[in-house]
């Protein structure tokens, strides 16, 4: 004789939003997240936004399961419900649940100082953008720098008289060349100014 099947509990959008906030607070202490229910749409969704901190993949690994299904963008754009998800209740019971949430939108932002702290070298293969990373260098040099971008080619000339520029520019040059970009470092003794030229920026 088979045991009676456990009924699937439904967790509302509002309750799922609370669970997402709690999970993020538990797994990423000290990181400030904005978790809001999306409005003005027939789709039940939650928007998560944060600055710096964990990667989008790390956040998704903790809360991405709290959706009811997904749209098949490769087919006829139909919505497919996922199987009920296991959930531990406040009483410690493991029960199958269906989260009444269609999607989660992840928006990770980057602060200027964080961009450069990533590794003190420009990385054009992933976010943040080159403009954001150069902006972080401007902050590091406390305004003692200039950036010129050639409109037609997109080539960039970064220059600074800051005492950290020589070391930073060499580090950036090695990283850029490893990524397949052209990079040159020069020094004008008369102006006491260092230059970093970046070519073929995507």
């Amino acid at each position: 004789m088979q045991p009676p099947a456990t009924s699937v509990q439904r967790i509302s959008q509002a309750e799922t939003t609370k669970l997402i906030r709690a999970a993020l607070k538990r797994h990423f202490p000290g990181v400030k997240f904005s978790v809001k229910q999306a409005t003005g749409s027939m789709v039940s969704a939650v928007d998560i936004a944060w600055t710096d901190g964990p990667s989008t993949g790390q956040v998704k690994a903790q809360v991405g399961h709290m959706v009811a299904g997904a749209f098949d963008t490769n087919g006829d754009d139909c919505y497919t419900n996922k199987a009920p998800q296991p959930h531990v209740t406040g009483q410690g019971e493991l029960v199958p649940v269906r989260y009444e949430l269609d999607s989660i939108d992840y928006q990770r932002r980057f602060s200027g100082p964080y961009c450069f702290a990533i590794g003190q070298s420009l990385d054009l293969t992933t976010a943040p953008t080159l403009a954001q990373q150069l902006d972080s260098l401007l902050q590091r040099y406390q305004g003692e720098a200039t950036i010129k971008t050639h409109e037609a080619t997109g080539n960039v000339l970064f220059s600074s008289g800051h005492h950290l520029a020589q070391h930073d520019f060499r580090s950036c040059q090695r990283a850029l060349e490893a990524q397949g970009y052209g990079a040159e470092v020069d020094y004008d003794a008369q102006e006491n100014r260092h230059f970093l030229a970046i070519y073929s920026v995507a």
Side-chain angles (χ1 to χ4, degrees), residues 122 124 171-183 196 198:
L122 301 179
L124 305 187
S171 177
C172 292
Q173 179 187 30
R174 290 190 294 269
L176 289 167
E177 289 177 342
Q179 296 167 57
Y181 292 90
L196 170 65
I198 307 171

Side-chain angles (χ1 to χ4, degrees), residues 44-174:
S44 171
V46 164
D47 295 332
I48 304 175
W50 70 102
T51 300
D52 304 335
S55 68
T56 299
Q58 289 173 315
V59 173
K60 191 173 184 178
Q62 301 302 331
V63 301
H65 64 283
M66 296 186 199
V67 291
F71 282 99
D72 179 14
T73 55
N74 296 320
D76 56 2
D77 208 30
C78 62
Y79 190 82
T80 303
N81 284 311
K82 288 170 33 177
Q85 304 294 303
H87 174 73
V88 180
T89 67
Q91 292 73 39
E93 296 179 276
L94 184 64
V95 297
V97 302
R98 186 175 298 284
Y99 299 98
E100 296 186 344
L101 192 66
D102 296 320
S103 65
I104 300 176
D105 181 51
Y106 304 89
Q107 300 177 40
R108 185 190 186 196
R109 305 183 181 96
F110 298 89
S111 64
Y114 178 87
C115 300
F116 196 70
I118 288 175
Q120 297 190 351
S121 59
L122 301 179
D123 184 355
L124 305 187
T125 61
T126 58
T129 65
L130 174 63
Q132 289 174 308
Q133 295 180 68
L134 291 176
D135 181 64
S136 72
L137 280 173
L138 284 175
Q139 295 184 44
R140 178 177 171 85
Y141 300 152
Q142 299 177 338
E144 296 180 30
T146 59
I147 302 174
K148 294 182 180 178
T149 304
H150 193 282
E151 292 185 6
T153 63
N155 295 340
V156 175
L157 180 64
F158 192 101
S159 67
S160 175
H162 196 277
H163 69 280
L164 295 173
Q166 181 179 16
H167 173 270
D168 290 345
F169 285 4
R170 289 293 180 189
S171 177
C172 292
Q173 179 187 30
R174 290 190 294 269

